[in-house]
Amino acid sequence: MKTSFLLLYFFALSSQLTAQQSDALPRSTPEAEQVSAQGIVDFLDALEKSEHEIHSLMVLRNGQVIAEGWWDPYGPELKHTMYSVSKSFTAAAIGFAVAENKLKVTDKVLGFFPEHCPETVSPFLEQLEIQHLLTMSVGHEKSFNFEVFPEEDWIAAFLSLPIAYQPGTKFLYNTSASYMLSAIIQKITGETLLEYLQSRLLEPLGISGLDWETDLEGIQTGGWGLRVKTEDMAKFGQLFLQKGMWKGEQILPGSWIEEASTMKIMQEPEASAEKMASNDWIQGYAYQMWRSRHNSYRGDGAFGQYILVLPEVDGVIVMTSETNNMQGELDLIWKHLLPAFEGSSNNDSNLQKRLNSLEIPPLKSGPMEKLEQSISGKTYVLESKNDTLEAFGLDFQEEVATLKMAMEGEEHDFEFGSGEWILGKTERKGPNLLYFAQNQLEGLSPFKTAGSYRWKDDNTLELHLKYIESPHTEIISITFDGEKAEIKFENSFENNDQKPIFKAGSQSHSAKESIADFIK
């Protein structure tokens, strides 16, 4: 009986591993696919010298992965927040719906939501079609994110917005338009985007374990909020490069791929030739994808999330990162990585060693045992109430700092290593570009973290907290002055010069006592 059970167990395990392997993209080498490994090394060198923090890289040629790497503490098993790369997956759902005759891109948006119609319907709103949502040509005069996403009913909020220009005539980047595409899919199918894409896209490509934020009505955000792995991004890009074919099967019609990836509207029709030659954000916009230089196109997300499709060299480049200079990242790709596709070199082994050693160095602290002992076991209660923090405490043990923070009556604990990243998990929401809409969102917790620390000087502790399934790092600085302390939180996209420094006073407590309980 036991033997039979063991045989069944090992058969199931073997089948699972085989399925996982069959879902993986095929691997090759740069030399075998006529790509210069030295060119990829040059690209890595340029990244290290740059201002950009890269989290992952995957390079494909001829449908084969020829280079892949993750900068520790990021890894291949982790999902990563896509921000606006999510839009490209949303547009794919529209493509499936068109192929199944569930809708046409010329369908009027109002026709899907008669119950959300404003009392007065303008002529331009009446003319608004799905294709105008896809091409960011709704006709709004400005971005209305702050008018839509803090509301409870995003559909009604969107339809109530004034449309200043005839739909289809003027480009304006419009995340709320992408949300409307998601709402349309759910309205006509009764399924969320992920549910609708499951059998049509995700299962055929072997994509699993992803998630997507939703609004309070259960509609996925469409324009952001998707988290997928690096290889999942590469599969999506390769599907487009192969005109919708996957393992001999036509997943998406080639006609849709062609329509979705070619220019539909120019961002700056009057741009000079000089500007066109240097700017990847004015090459034209397709269906929730950007056209790029060198006859390429891309799914593109804030802070440097890329699925870059290069038809002329049969290549796909995927990157995840945190940067405030996305054009700078693309410039490095064009300068170093694109030329690598022009020929091979025989140093694949050197490249592989380099890829295996990628890391974001953790902070390393000098010895501060006396100060650390004096801080451990104290609770610092903030002098004034705020929405960010009520109290905090620190404990130090063998080059590990544990930060406890009380927020809205709940305690959140984080561990930070000196000279190493310590991995953790939290329910606390980290930095997010659309933080202003967090009260109207559900999903995506708990969040995985990595932390390291150092003493910046004799009084200031610096803690780096990476939310490693997102692009973002939170820098927490605490300055101690006797029984007083000041704490500040910084991230990569808020105006940190204007962020408050919170003042706190210390009180002793038992090391076993919850800080959240202590301040009640």
Side-chain angles (χ1 to χ4, degrees):
M1 189 74 174
K2 287 184 179 179
T3 303
S4 300
F5 175 79
L6 287 172
L7 285 173
L8 285 171
Y9 171 78
F10 284 117
F11 175 77
L13 182 62
S14 174
S15 299
Q16 183 179 8
L17 291 173
T18 301
Q20 290 174 347
Q21 292 169 352
S22 66
D23 287 339
L25 289 164
R27 264 59 177 178
S28 185
T29 64
E31 184 177 8
E33 306 306 324
Q34 295 297 298
V35 176
S36 168
Q38 184 59 48
I40 301 175
V41 170
D42 292 342
F43 178 62
L44 295 174
D45 287 340
L47 288 176
E48 283 194 0
K49 296 173 184 176
S50 75
E51 63 191 299
H52 316 296
E53 179 181 291
I54 311 303
H55 299 160
S56 70
L57 170 71
M58 189 170 281
V59 182
L60 288 76
R61 214 253 177 110
N62 303 324
Q64 312 278 321
V65 178
I66 59 170
E68 57 188 311
W70 286 262
W71 278 253
D72 186 65
Y74 300 86
E77 76 287 353
L78 292 174
K79 296 170 287 190
H80 206 277
T81 298
M82 291 291 97
Y83 280 122
S84 288
V85 173
S86 309
K87 293 177 169 71
S88 302
F89 284 77
T90 300
I94 295 292
F96 284 112
V98 169
E100 295 167 5
N101 295 316
K102 296 181 185 297
L103 53 76
K104 303 185 295 295
V105 297
T106 54
D107 285 344
K108 299 291 191 292
V109 173
L110 273 182
F112 297 97
F113 307 108
E115 70 278 18
H116 295 276
C117 248
E119 290 185 10
T120 303
V121 176
S122 69
F124 286 163
L125 178 58
E126 198 170 9
Q127 295 172 26
L128 186 64
E129 300 174 355
I130 289 175
Q131 63 181 328
H132 303 135
L133 304 176
L134 287 166
T135 59
M136 303 292 189
S137 61
V138 171
H140 291 160
E141 193 166 22
K142 71 179 188 72
S143 171
F144 284 111
N145 288 343
F146 285 92
E147 285 79 5
V148 173
F149 300 130
E151 297 294 320
E152 292 186 7
D153 187 337
W154 292 1
I155 297 172
F158 177 88
L159 294 176
S160 69
L161 299 173
I163 299 180
Y165 306 97
Q166 184 175 7
T169 63
K170 186 176 177 63
F171 175 89
L172 178 73
Y173 200 67
N174 195 328
T175 295
S176 56
S178 306
Y179 166 78
M180 293 299 290
L181 294 171
S182 174
I184 288 171
I185 288 294
Q186 193 152 331
K187 186 67 179 289
I188 64 172
T189 68
E191 297 178 296
T192 66
L193 279 173
L194 283 185
E195 290 168 344
Y196 183 64
L197 290 173
Q198 184 62 34
S199 62
R200 295 164 174 82
L201 176 73
L202 306 180
E203 289 178 4
L205 270 59
I207 297 175
S208 61
L210 73 174
D211 50 27
W212 205 323
E213 283 184 288
T214 69
D215 70 359
L216 299 182
E217 299 297 318
I219 302 171
Q220 278 152 355
T221 49
W224 81 96
L226 176 65
R227 294 192 304 186
V228 296
K229 301 180 184 71
T230 304
E231 186 159 350
D232 299 336
M233 298 167 68
K235 291 174 180 178
F236 187 84
Q238 189 63 34
L239 176 70
F240 269 70
L241 185 63
Q242 295 171 178
K243 300 294 184 185
M245 290 289 295
W246 197 258
K247 294 183 178 180
E249 182 181 351
Q250 192 74 45
I251 302 298
L252 256 176
S255 57
W256 175 262
I257 298 290
E258 181 70 18
E259 185 175 354
S261 62
T262 51
M263 192 275 288
K264 295 293 177 293
I265 190 169
M266 294 298 292
Q267 297 92 340
E268 295 185 25
E270 306 302 322
S272 67
E274 182 180 5
K275 189 173 183 180
M276 287 289 293
S278 62
N279 190 324
D280 282 287
W281 274 265
I282 58 172
Q283 306 297 315
Y285 197 76
Y287 283 173
Q288 307 285 282
M289 283 184 163
W290 297 83
R291 295 292 306 177
S292 309
R293 289 176 288 170
H294 306 287
N295 194 30
S296 64
Y297 59 95
R298 67 190 190 276
D300 176 318
F303 305 101
Q305 325 316 315
Y306 291 118
I307 303 174
L308 184 58
V309 182
L310 302 155
E312 291 189 353
V313 296
D314 199 6
V316 174
I317 298 169
V318 169
M319 279 178 56
T320 62
S321 64
E322 181 174 30
T323 183
N324 284 316
N325 180 8
M326 293 175 64
Q327 182 62 67
E329 278 187 327
L330 288 175
D331 288 344
L332 292 179
I333 289 174
W334 303 140
K335 183 177 181 180
H336 299 284
L337 204 47
L338 182 61
F341 284 86
E342 295 175 1
S344 64
S345 62
N346 59 359
N347 57 351
D348 288 352
S349 60
N350 291 334
L351 170 62
Q352 194 55 52
K353 289 178 184 177
R354 182 68 174 279
L355 291 168
N356 290 341
S357 64
L358 297 172
E359 69 166 346
I360 299 170
L363 299 180
K364 173 69 175 174
S365 185
M368 296 288 281
E369 291 182 14
K370 187 175 180 180
L371 178 57
E372 290 177 356
Q373 288 174 3
S374 71
I375 293 167
S376 292
K378 291 182 178 178
T379 294
Y380 292 85
V381 180
L382 269 66
E383 295 176 356
S384 58
K385 291 184 177 181
N386 64 85
D387 295 332
T388 304
L389 182 66
E390 299 168 37
F392 66 92
L394 282 155
D395 289 298
F396 293 89
Q397 297 283 338
E398 299 179 352
E399 295 193 313
V400 175
T402 301
L403 173 66
K404 301 174 182 289
M405 297 191 291
M407 299 175 169
E408 298 181 349
E410 295 183 355
E411 182 179 299
H412 302 279
D413 296 358
F414 301 93
E415 288 189 333
F416 302 81
S418 174
E420 66 172 327
W421 293 106
I422 295 187
L423 303 182
K425 191 179 291 187
T426 182
E427 294 287 340
R428 178 190 175 229
K429 293 178 178 177
N432 189 298
L433 187 58
L434 285 93
Y435 189 78
F436 64 89
Q438 289 303 304
N439 290 335
Q440 306 302 328
L441 292 169
E442 295 178 344
L444 303 198
S445 65
F447 299 91
K448 294 180 180 178
T449 60
S452 68
Y453 81 95
R454 66 167 181 155
W455 284 97
K456 193 174 181 180
D457 55 43
D458 290 344
N459 301 306
T460 304
L461 180 68
E462 182 179 332
L463 306 127
H464 283 197
L465 182 61
K466 292 188 174 295
Y467 287 79
I468 54 176
E469 290 187 313
S470 87
H472 299 304
T473 300
E474 191 168 40
I475 300 174
I476 306 169
S477 301
I478 310 174
T479 302
F480 298 92
D481 182 10
E483 297 302 309
K484 301 287 186 180
E486 294 181 346
I487 185 169
K488 184 176 182 180
F489 298 83
E490 302 177 70
N491 57 54
S492 61
F493 56 87
E494 293 181 338
N495 188 336
N496 293 312
D497 292 335
Q498 297 178 4
K499 296 201 75 171
I501 298 174
F502 302 114
K503 298 177 183 288
S506 69
Q507 303 177 35
S508 296
H509 71 280
S510 165
K512 295 181 180 179
E513 188 172 13
S514 164
I515 289 181
D517 290 338
F518 181 79
I519 64 172
K520 287 180 180 177

